[in-house]
Amino acid sequence: MALEDAFNDLRNNLYRPLLFFIPKSLVPESKKEFLDSPEFARFFNTPAIIEKSGESFELKSNPNHVQILEKPSILVGNNFLLSDQKAALNSFQFSVLLEKYLEQLKFYNTIASWMALHIKEHCEIEENILEYFELQDTFFQHHLGEINAIFNVNVIPNTDPKDALEYIEKDLPAFKKLFQTKESNHPEQNLDNLPKQKNKRKPRPVLVTEEEARNFLLKSVFNVTA
């Protein structure tokens, strides 16, 4: 497996599936116009999921949040994949791969913890939804502990989300796809080398573009300017 392919597989497994939400109260002034648009207004403060397919939906329109229970086995698969790559690559190549993976893992670990702690402040949810967000946080924390032990590293989860997001400008993480739909057509989509998914569901309205999603998350959730 090529190094780039291995990294893409590892990264995809981190965010597929993933529960998330966007807090309306943290929308920056520069994005206030979104609040007046019905297509955006219905989405804020609403739990959503990125499914295993890579598509993202509001939980109320697709309540398949139980997919997150498959996360531990998916992350264990990353342990195996990294172990295989350690045996196949030279030490420098594996060091680069592991470093890039840890950047991604710290990012998702940070936001999973933030969302589990703050979702009730921003979303009206049933208790079981909160429990799934808390489980997601636990799964990421456990995986980080496993990576530390297996590969003899000492990665500490970020306490400041800004630290976890510093690499975004150069690496374009999976979060740029949070609001992506089939109707979106941007050149930067090809950078991820992800297989195109056949969407057999009814088309859903475009919420925001990839670039808007990336910048919106940075500015609104973590107060970081890209």
Side-chain angles (χ1 to χ4, degrees):
M1 179 183 291
L3 186 60
E4 183 178 1
D5 292 336
F7 175 71
N8 286 335
D9 286 347
L10 289 164
R11 179 181 58 182
N12 293 349
N13 287 342
L14 285 175
Y15 83 96
R16 297 182 179 183
L18 186 82
L19 301 175
F20 71 97
F21 69 93
I22 303 298
K24 179 179 179 180
S25 63
L26 299 182
V27 178
E29 289 296 326
S30 62
K31 299 294 182 180
K32 290 296 185 183
E33 67 272 15
F34 286 165
L35 300 180
D36 298 324
S37 174
E39 62 194 277
F40 298 131
R42 68 181 181 85
F43 185 77
F44 293 117
N45 293 359
T46 302
I49 184 171
I50 301 176
E51 295 186 325
K52 291 182 292 184
S53 67
E55 298 177 275
S56 56
F57 304 104
E58 300 173 29
L59 287 185
K60 65 181 180 181
S61 63
N62 187 1
N64 198 13
H65 52 272
V66 294
Q67 280 192 16
I68 205 65
L69 296 179
E70 299 179 45
K71 200 70 177 182
S73 62
I74 293 173
L75 295 177
V76 167
N78 275 8
N79 295 345
F80 294 147
L81 180 53
L82 280 169
S83 296
D84 289 343
Q85 290 300 303
K86 184 177 182 179
L89 301 173
N90 62 47
S91 58
F92 175 76
Q93 289 175 319
F94 180 71
S95 177
V96 171
L97 177 62
L98 183 60
E99 180 182 356
K100 289 295 184 182
Y101 182 68
L102 290 175
E103 286 181 350
Q104 297 277 336
L105 178 55
K106 287 191 293 183
F107 171 73
Y108 287 106
N109 192 287
T110 297
I111 62 170
S113 294
W114 189 92
M115 290 188 296
L117 286 172
H118 298 284
I119 185 171
K120 293 190 75 172
E121 300 171 17
H122 304 281
C123 306
E124 293 184 5
I125 58 171
E126 297 178 359
E127 193 66 25
N128 70 310
I129 297 298
L130 172 60
E131 291 173 357
Y132 278 102
F133 273 85
E134 291 173 341
L135 280 173
Q136 176 173 254
D137 178 27
T138 299
F139 296 154
F140 276 115
Q141 290 187 41
H142 181 71
H143 180 55
L144 182 59
E146 288 185 326
I147 293 297
N148 282 339
I150 294 172
F151 299 102
N152 194 29
V153 291
N154 186 27
V155 178
I156 300 173
N158 297 82
T159 56
D160 184 353
K162 295 180 182 179
D163 295 335
L165 300 175
E166 287 181 350
Y167 72 91
I168 284 180
E169 289 188 36
K170 63 179 184 296
D171 282 337
L172 291 179
F175 262 79
K176 73 174 187 168
K177 292 183 176 292
L178 286 180
F179 302 95
Q180 180 181 338
T181 67
K182 287 174 56 179
E183 293 82 359
S184 297
N185 183 21
H186 300 276
E188 65 268 26
Q189 289 179 355
N190 297 326
L191 295 178
D192 286 329
N193 295 320
L194 301 178
K196 294 182 179 179
Q197 301 292 332
K198 293 182 179 180
N199 188 2
K200 296 183 180 180
R201 305 173 188 276
K202 291 183 179 180
R204 288 171 169 78
V206 178
L207 295 176
V208 294
T209 65
E210 291 185 3
E211 186 66 19
E212 288 173 330
R214 172 178 174 268
N215 293 334
F216 179 76
L217 283 166
L218 294 180
K219 293 178 181 179
S220 66
V221 181
F222 301 110
N223 195 28
V224 176
T225 302

